[in-house]
Amino acid sequence: MNDFLHIPSDLQNTYSGLIVLHLREALIPVLAGLVVSLPLAQLCVRFRWLYPPVLWSTTVLYAIPSLAFFVVLIDYTGMSETTVMIPLSVYSLVVLVPAIVDAVRSVPQETLDAATAMGFGPVRRYLQVQLPIAVPTIIAGLRVATASSISLVSVGMLIGNQGALGNLLHDANIYNRPVYAVNSVVTTAVLAILVDAALVLTRVLLTPWMPRGTGRAGRKTSGDRADAAVPALEESAR
Amino acid sequence: MIRIDSVTKRYPDGTVAVDRLSLEIPDRSITVLVGPSGCGKTTTLRMINRMVEPSEGTITLDGVDISRQPVNSLRRSMGYVIQNAGLFQHRTIVDNIATVPRLLGQSKARSRARARELMERVGLDVSLAKRYPYQLSGGQQQRVGVARALAADPPVLLMDEPFSAVDPIVRKGLQEELLRIQEELGKTIVFVTHDIDEAIRLGTMVAVLRTGGRLAQFAPPAELLSSPADAFVEDFLGADRGIRRLSFFPAQALELKKTPIVAVDSTAEQIAARTTPETPYLLVTGLDGRPLGWSEPEDLVAGDIDVARLLPYGRPFAYGTDSLRAALDGAVLSPTGWAVAVDDAGRAVGVVSQQAVGEAIRAAHAKGLTAAKVAG
């Protein structure tokens, strides 16, 4: 067991230190992606013509290999965590923008009409009606983005010591110690599962208003479409 | 008073949804906009709270042009109910109802207290307050929708096909509830529906719109049924408008016969005394006075009346509250051709023949015609 948790000295870190670093490098980009995606998605909903080019751009950015990003970024941000996190933030957009656009669009028109008719201004309507109802679909998108980000952090080893748990893969190679690789893969997977569970829990806590269990299939509520989008996205998260 | 003055709504693609519509919507009564789909009824409703802006013409509320009023405060002064209720699925029932008071800056506690009060008013159990919309039936959700619209006590209530999505029995209950609430609160209600029966049932005034957004007729429901303005209105009213018009004539116009009613424990003398040549049947009632069924006098054996062998009596009508329509229905349903009138407690108070109902209808029509002539 001690052997399993042993971290080679060249990483200059402990096991728990690597985990914290890994989570930080994975989650900050998703948060940054969310902060960018929310207004971007709202613009795409507001101006329909904007959505196809935005979607196209995020897909093209996603297709750029991280190594290419690193080569460009090292000139500005050096061999730092930031250099790893910037491409990861960009990658998260490909999942988050469409997820949020779908989420906001899935709010039933009659709910929006009711809000307008009751005297909600556009900003208040967005914050108090659209966004809360969109939460389940947004979190479904966050789950995909987070899982992908946690696995992608490992590429940080390409620029030296920034791959967190991913650097163990490199060390397994140079020291010929497969146990490092096993540790890296298992820990990364466990982290992804735990973070995913935390997101599911967050959704459950944030949405006491959602039909649960068998009730969902049987009942016809105005939220049908929003509910339907969630399992579909969750399916793709697995 | 809401005054719609030659209002036109033309969309950029050239479609005309509403065409030079003028209406004066009276205060404290229900005005129904009815018509086939595409007649601009919803557009008209939405112009009243400025969710749609008219291309031409003006709408005034108590003499003030609504286009000069701040849009959000105008909307907060008008309750709005839509099909499927449009509830906020992420808020509890009590918070849904408290929405507009909260927007108007009232405290959470006060708004919620008011919301609970309204739940009772619209016939919802207060124990549902902390539930979420998905946990309620369609009819209950619609009641929440009505309560939410009433929360800030607005003088005007706009209702856009509010009861279309629920089943007919629930719809009838909701309509009765609306009439009861209206009797208590006296709001100015503008009600949109495609269902002419609903329009006639609820409306103090009914505006029939035709496709293309033009007004076909604006009249009280009884007048609509008796003298439709043109073939379109007549067609829209449907085949049995004559029968439906009877709803506006009270059954109290009927002269009831009280003689041919015998209790189930009557003696032979009592049965004989109640048998007359012009009433071929006797109505047998229970000891509580409720009707049991019809029988020919010679088939009745005093002290040994077999209730199971009596002829069915159809559906009785309430003499005090029902209309000639219910009386006619009762007479048609009964195999004897006689209708049974009951009081509030369901006790038989008299019987009336199809012929007598027919005479009452002719008399009512004659009176109606005179009234129309006087008015014209």
Side-chain angles (χ1 to χ4, degrees):
Chain A
M1 197 62 198
N2 274 346
D3 201 37
F4 183 77
L5 293 181
H6 173 258
I7 303 299
S9 58
D10 69 318
L11 296 186
Q12 297 176 349
N13 214 330
T14 59
Y15 182 57
S16 54
L18 283 180
I19 289 175
V20 171
L21 178 65
H22 198 100
L23 283 179
R24 191 166 69 214
E25 288 187 42
L27 299 185
I28 290 177
V30 177
L31 274 181
L34 183 64
V35 168
V36 174
S37 302
L38 279 172
L40 195 58
Q42 190 56 23
L43 285 175
C44 291
V45 172
R46 189 89 179 74
F47 308 102
R48 285 176 161 269
W49 56 267
L50 199 61
Y51 189 38
V54 166
L55 207 54
W56 182 83
S57 312
T58 58
T59 312
V60 167
L61 287 171
Y62 188 71
I64 299 174
S66 41
L67 195 54
F69 265 113
F70 294 157
V71 169
V72 176
L73 287 170
I74 282 172
D75 282 352
Y76 303 93
T77 49
M79 309 237 296
S80 66
E81 279 178 45
T82 319
T83 307
V84 180
M85 291 195 288
I86 288 174
L88 292 187
S89 309
V90 171
Y91 293 158
S92 73
L93 299 181
V94 80
V95 176
L96 290 177
V97 170
I100 297 171
V101 168
D102 287 349
V104 172
R105 278 187 186 165
S106 71
V107 177
Q109 188 58 41
E110 61 218 23
T111 306
L112 298 177
D113 283 351
T116 307
M118 280 189 284
F120 279 80
V123 175
R124 200 197 288 259
R125 193 179 83 163
Y126 178 68
L127 293 177
Q128 294 187 6
V129 180
Q130 268 179 307
L131 209 49
I133 293 177
V135 156
T137 317
I138 294 177
I139 290 189
L142 279 177
R143 291 175 64 189
V144 183
T146 311
S148 131
S149 190
I150 287 175
S151 82
L152 283 175
V153 163
S154 305
V155 301
M157 72 180 177
L158 292 174
I159 52 163
N161 221 354
Q162 300 303 346
L165 291 165
N167 284 76
L168 284 174
L169 290 173
H170 183 59
D171 282 4
N173 200 17
I174 57 176
Y175 298 126
N176 197 20
R177 294 279 305 272
V179 69
Y180 291 156
V182 175
N183 184 350
S184 169
V185 169
V186 170
T187 309
T188 308
V190 168
L191 279 186
I193 290 166
L194 289 179
V195 171
D196 192 57
L199 281 170
V200 172
L201 184 68
T202 310
R203 192 200 76 202
V204 169
L205 292 177
L206 282 179
T207 60
W209 48 269
M210 262 181 69
R212 307 218 183 279
T214 51
R216 176 187 288 177
R219 287 298 301 279
K220 185 185 157 292
T221 67
S222 47
D224 268 357
R225 280 178 300 163
D227 299 343
V230 176
L233 260 167
E234 281 175 354
E235 205 55 55
S236 64
R238 283 179 204 130
Chain B
M1 188 174 65
I2 301 169
R3 192 193 165 98
I4 299 174
D5 198 7
S6 50
V7 160
T8 296
K9 178 63 194 179
R10 197 178 294 109
Y11 285 102
D13 66 356
T15 336
V16 176
V18 177
D19 192 7
R20 284 162 297 165
L21 179 71
S22 293
L23 280 181
E24 285 190 3
I25 293 167
D27 279 343
R28 305 176 71 81
S29 62
I30 303 180
T31 300
V32 181
L33 308 179
V34 67
S37 48
C39 73
K41 50 194 192 295
T42 294
T43 308
T44 306
L45 190 79
R46 287 177 168 224
M47 287 195 283
I48 297 174
N49 73 351
R50 293 185 60 193
M51 283 172 77
V52 175
E53 298 284 355
S55 317
E56 287 161 30
T58 53
I59 299 175
T60 57
L61 174 63
D62 295 327
V64 184
D65 187 345
I66 58 162
S67 66
R68 292 173 200 280
Q69 298 180 33
V71 68
N72 283 339
S73 61
L74 177 82
R75 287 175 186 162
R76 288 170 199 172
S77 74
M78 294 180 173
Y80 191 78
V81 188
I82 52 177
Q83 197 179 346
N84 295 322
L87 298 183
F88 298 144
Q89 48 182 309
H90 62 298
R91 290 189 177 170
T92 57
I93 300 310
V94 70
D95 285 341
N96 260 286
I97 300 173
T99 304
V100 182
R102 292 286 289 143
L103 284 175
L104 292 168
Q106 285 177 23
S107 75
K108 206 168 205 167
R110 215 180 122 192
S111 311
R112 283 185 173 165
R114 166 84 180 140
R116 282 168 198 276
E117 189 185 308
L118 277 161
M119 287 183 73
E120 284 178 10
R121 170 147 271 160
V122 301
L124 280 170
D125 200 86
V126 181
S127 67
L128 298 174
K130 292 265 174 65
R131 301 264 182 97
Y132 287 98
Y134 81 91
Q135 295 168 306
L136 269 58
S137 71
Q140 286 172 325
Q141 291 194 18
Q142 210 56 58
R143 283 171 199 265
V144 177
V146 174
R148 183 173 67 174
L150 290 170
D153 202 16
V156 177
L157 212 54
L158 307 177
M159 308 184 83
D160 188 2
E161 306 221 11
F163 308 145
S164 307
V166 292
D167 66 67
I169 294 173
V170 174
R171 188 183 311 148
K172 192 153 182 264
L174 289 167
Q175 289 169 346
E176 275 162 14
E177 200 80 4
L178 179 68
L179 289 171
R180 186 183 61 74
I181 293 170
Q182 171 64 359
E183 203 150 292
E184 288 169 23
L185 301 180
K187 301 287 182 193
T188 301
I189 299 178
V190 188
F191 191 106
V192 163
T193 181
H194 60 262
D195 176 358
I196 184 69
D197 287 318
E198 185 168 63
I200 285 168
R201 199 173 153 74
L202 297 178
T204 316
M205 290 293 282
V206 177
V208 184
L209 302 177
R210 68 174 91 233
T211 315
R214 274 169 303 134
L215 183 65
Q217 190 169 8
F218 187 44
E223 190 186 320
L224 210 62
L225 289 169
S226 62
S227 34
D230 57 21
F232 170 79
V233 178
E234 196 173 344
D235 195 39
F236 193 70
L237 285 167
D240 52 352
R241 70 182 168 89
I243 303 283
R244 278 185 288 163
R245 192 182 161 216
L246 297 180
S247 323
F248 295 94
F249 302 124
Q252 273 168 314
L254 293 166
E255 210 170 302
L256 298 182
K257 291 209 183 302
K258 296 184 171 42
T259 326
I261 301 179
V262 292
V264 71
D265 61 346
S266 300
T267 61
E269 293 75 49
Q270 283 170 320
I271 292 173
R274 295 203 164 261
T275 307
T276 60
E278 74 259 27
T279 53
Y281 297 94
L282 290 179
L283 180 72
V284 179
T285 61
L287 297 175
D288 56 0
R290 289 164 178 272
L292 292 173
W294 293 97
S295 175
E296 291 186 42
E298 51 272 27
D299 290 345
L300 288 179
V301 182
D304 185 27
I305 293 175
D306 184 359
V307 175
R309 292 191 51 206
L310 297 174
L311 296 169
Y313 57 89
R315 200 165 70 172
F317 64 96
Y319 189 60
T321 51
D322 268 337
S323 64
L324 283 184
R325 185 178 179 178
L328 179 66
D329 192 52
V332 173
L333 279 175
S334 165
T336 62
W338 287 72
V340 178
V342 293
D343 63 11
D344 291 341
R347 289 182 297 249
V349 293
V351 297
V352 62
S353 66
Q354 280 179 2
Q355 285 78 1
V357 176
E359 276 158 32
I361 291 170
R362 281 191 292 278
H365 278 185
K367 241 194 316 194
L369 278 178
T370 334
K373 267 179 197 150
V374 171

